[in-house]
Amino acid sequence: LAAFIIVLYIAALPVQWGQLAADYPQLDISLWDLGLSINFPALYSIGTEILTLVFFIGTASVLLWSKSRDWMTILVDTSLLTMGVSAYPTLDAFASTHPQWLLPVQLIQAVGFGSALLVFYLFPTGKFIPHWTLPLTIIWGIWMMGWTATPESLPVDVESWPVLLQSTLLFVFRTDVVSIAETYDHIR
């Protein structure tokens, strides 16, 4: 699985490069005046993505090498790898030009976003503490699988919601609740 994800990401890099290089034509003259290549924005963006992915893969490799039989380590490794490739729009660019790869890309992204939340809720004990994080994880997992199956035809378009409602959704499923759950876990 890891090899497939990495090969898919490498195959997506030229597509992302083409899109990034086409996005910055108005900067040509100003970049040249600064002594930079006209491809600098694309190089910087791709370079940042690759460095991030190398860091994620390196961290996952060290963890897997040290505790390869621990299920929590495997979950963290899966999350690191899938989030590493999902954090940037490279796979989306690839799927937009190669529609036959849309489902695998969306599955990788769903696993990445779903497993990241799961890692934060389970770390470090491997248990859902506080217990109310389990139903949130189930709802988030259902949402991710529904988004993967039919992202355009979901009955709810979150981006059209009022900002306050979007913020509430992010609060419930992401950073703030994760922080509260982690704080609760460490206080106990």
Side-chain angles (χ1 to χ4, degrees):
L1 179 65
F4 170 73
I5 292 171
I6 292 168
V7 168
L8 183 62
Y9 181 80
I10 291 169
L13 283 174
V15 175
Q16 179 70 350
W17 171 266
Q19 288 186 1
L20 288 172
D23 283 345
Y24 300 107
Q26 71 277 9
L27 295 176
D28 291 352
I29 296 171
S30 59
L31 288 173
W32 187 259
D33 291 341
L34 294 172
L36 299 172
S37 165
I38 59 172
N39 292 324
F40 178 75
L43 284 170
Y44 181 79
S45 182
I46 296 281
T48 303
E49 288 181 32
I50 291 172
L51 284 175
T52 303
L53 186 59
V54 165
F55 176 76
F56 277 47
I57 291 172
T59 304
S61 299
V62 169
L63 288 172
L64 194 60
W65 177 66
S66 65
K67 291 186 171 187
S68 63
R69 294 180 186 224
D70 181 31
W71 71 271
M72 190 67 185
T73 302
I74 294 170
L75 177 64
V76 170
D77 288 349
T78 302
S79 179
L80 284 170
L81 180 62
T82 53
M83 277 303 296
V85 298
S86 299
Y88 293 98
T90 304
L91 290 181
D92 290 326
F94 185 72
S96 70
T97 58
H98 299 84
Q100 68 271 22
W101 288 99
L102 182 62
L103 183 61
V105 165
Q106 289 175 335
L107 284 172
I108 291 168
Q109 292 171 336
V111 168
F113 294 126
S115 64
L117 187 74
L118 193 59
V119 165
F120 283 117
Y121 283 164
L122 292 173
F123 188 80
T125 62
K127 298 176 183 173
F128 287 100
I129 298 175
H131 297 292
W132 50 264
T133 57
L134 176 60
L136 291 178
T137 305
I138 292 169
I139 293 168
W140 182 255
I142 292 168
W143 183 270
M144 287 289 97
M145 289 302 117
W147 170 77
T148 300
T150 57
E152 290 83 23
S153 63
L154 278 177
V156 178
D157 179 18
V158 177
E159 293 177 5
S160 68
W161 289 2
V163 174
L164 181 61
L165 197 51
Q166 289 181 26
S167 300
T168 303
L169 179 69
L170 288 175
F171 171 79
V172 170
F173 290 110
R174 299 209 35 214
T175 46
D176 295 333
V177 171
V178 168
S179 300
I180 291 167
E182 285 295 314
T183 303
Y184 178 83
D185 189 27
H186 288 292
I187 289 174
R188 286 189 45 183

